[in-house]
Amino acid sequence: MPHIPYEQEFELYHYGESLCAQMVRVALAEKEISYKSHHLLLNEITRNATNLTPEYLAVNPNGIVPTLVHEGVPVYDSWEIIKYLDVVQPTIGPRLWPTDEAVRGETEDWVREAALRDDAAPARTLGTAIPVVSVPIIQACLKRQPFFHVMWKFRKHPKRERAALFRFLRVRSIPKTISDRAVRTIAVSLSRIEDALAKGGPWLFGDFTQIDIMMMAHFHRLEDVHLGEVLRSEDLPFVAAYWTGLQARPSYKTAILDWHEENWRCSIEQVWGETSSPVLAALCTEVADVRKGVLRPAA
């Protein structure tokens, strides 16, 4: 494990619009932990990126965000970082991991479903479906960069599968089978959240925990990709109230809204403007069907 030079006890390397970075910033805000910010720009977002510099690769050899550095020791993967913060700051802010063993096991299952994991197939979990519906934003960012520049710069990316994906997205779209699967997965996940909230609330496990942080970021992304109307669907009344509650937490503003980034915002405007996503109707239909118990073959 490398030892990273540091100036403050906690330092965070992150990108404003990254789902995983949003989750970690929310956790830091909820735990009332101050940190030194190292804001990076990603290669898929802009030509003037900073996540593959020698300096950052010395912090995170994979060149991805976020990375938390605590007294010189790097911690990787957003869900592991949030667990870590709960251990080192147990008495301030909410406990982000339940102390009850039974609830903790269920929380682990939800976190695996919501995490952006490399070992999960595309669009098979909520954590891998949300990035699929985010592809139009990434494509808009990539297409603003010269073709040969994109092809050339990703040769340096330590994660070869990510390099191949971004090169692919510069010229082609995600296959429709994967897009359709993502819509179905999101609908099933929202229905599952609705059922869980109906048992109590206001949060998924009664108290505010890591899974609520993850949902805050995912729901915000649904708003970004102009699918937010599904969160106010008459088929999901508990989800609607839940989302209102998440948005009311101070951490939503300080850790998510205050970190909006220009390249990302410009791409949202370029792709959708003031219109809804063309996927919205299909997603709302899927939600309605799932709530009615209509089952379709998996994509």
Side-chain angles (χ1 to χ4, degrees):
M1 182 73 68
H3 190 275
I4 310 301
Y6 67 99
E7 297 177 1
Q8 195 167 322
E9 180 180 3
F10 292 95
E11 301 196 7
L12 182 67
Y13 294 78
H14 61 119
Y15 168 61
E17 305 283 2
S18 158
L19 280 167
C20 294
Q22 288 171 345
M23 294 171 189
V24 171
R25 290 197 305 266
V26 171
L28 287 162
E30 292 286 346
K31 301 299 286 185
E32 301 178 30
I33 296 174
S34 62
Y35 62 93
K36 180 177 180 178
S37 168
H38 300 270
H39 187 257
L40 305 176
L41 293 174
L42 308 183
N43 271 268
E44 60 267 33
I45 302 302
T46 180
R47 186 170 187 170
N48 302 314
T50 51
N51 66 307
L52 295 183
T53 62
E55 292 78 11
Y56 184 58
L57 291 175
V59 175
N60 186 323
N62 286 322
I64 57 178
V65 294
T67 302
L68 179 74
V69 175
H70 182 212
E71 297 182 333
V73 178
V75 186
Y76 308 122
D77 296 324
S78 57
W79 59 94
E80 295 296 344
I81 293 172
I82 296 172
K83 283 185 185 179
Y84 180 83
L85 292 174
D86 214 34
V87 171
V88 298
Q89 193 84 307
T91 60
I92 299 178
R95 287 303 304 262
L96 300 178
W97 274 89
T99 54
D100 182 276
E101 287 295 331
V103 177
R104 185 178 298 175
E106 189 175 2
T107 303
E108 289 274 10
D109 291 340
W110 279 79
V111 167
R112 281 193 293 271
E113 172 67 20
L116 281 72
R117 298 169 17 233
D118 288 340
D119 62 341
R124 294 293 187 188
T125 66
L126 180 63
T128 58
I130 294 292
V132 170
V133 297
S134 307
V135 159
I137 301 176
I138 302 294
Q139 285 186 303
C141 290
L142 287 167
K143 288 180 179 180
R144 282 201 298 272
Q145 302 177 54
F147 173 81
F148 287 109
H149 173 74
V150 171
M151 296 298 115
W152 175 253
K153 72 176 178 177
F154 279 109
R155 83 196 190 285
K156 300 186 298 181
H157 204 298
K159 294 184 76 70
R160 306 314 301 167
E161 69 280 3
R162 291 177 72 89
L165 173 63
F166 294 134
R167 284 171 165 169
F168 175 86
L169 291 178
R170 179 59 178 78
V171 294
R172 299 186 64 182
S173 296
I174 288 285
K176 188 175 184 300
T177 53
I178 295 179
S179 298
D180 290 347
R181 185 195 306 157
V183 168
R184 176 68 176 175
T185 296
I186 293 169
V188 170
S189 296
L190 290 174
S191 181
R192 184 186 179 203
I193 294 167
E194 178 75 8
D195 289 340
L197 291 168
K199 296 175 183 177
W203 313 115
L204 278 168
F205 291 102
D207 296 325
F208 187 85
T209 65
Q210 172 162 351
I211 193 61
D212 300 300
I213 289 175
M214 300 175 88
M215 293 307 169
M216 184 189 289
H218 285 319
F219 284 14
H220 179 74
R221 178 59 59 84
L222 288 175
E223 297 282 7
D224 270 1
V225 299
H226 288 218
L227 292 172
E229 282 304 309
V230 74
L231 302 174
R232 294 173 281 279
S233 165
E234 62 182 14
D235 293 302
L236 301 170
F238 289 100
V239 166
Y242 176 59
W243 180 218
T244 298
L246 288 172
Q247 291 172 294
R249 294 187 77 88
S251 59
Y252 178 65
K253 179 181 185 301
T254 60
I256 295 183
L257 295 181
D258 288 353
W259 285 98
H260 281 181
E261 190 273 323
E262 180 181 4
N263 291 288
W264 188 268
R265 296 292 128 191
C266 287
S267 291
I268 292 173
E269 178 65 25
Q270 177 184 339
V271 174
W272 293 289
E274 298 299 320
T275 65
S276 297
S277 167
V279 178
L280 178 61
L283 178 57
C284 290
T285 298
E286 287 282 5
V287 167
D289 287 348
V290 172
R291 298 307 294 163
K292 294 172 187 173
V294 177
L295 299 178
R296 294 194 181 96

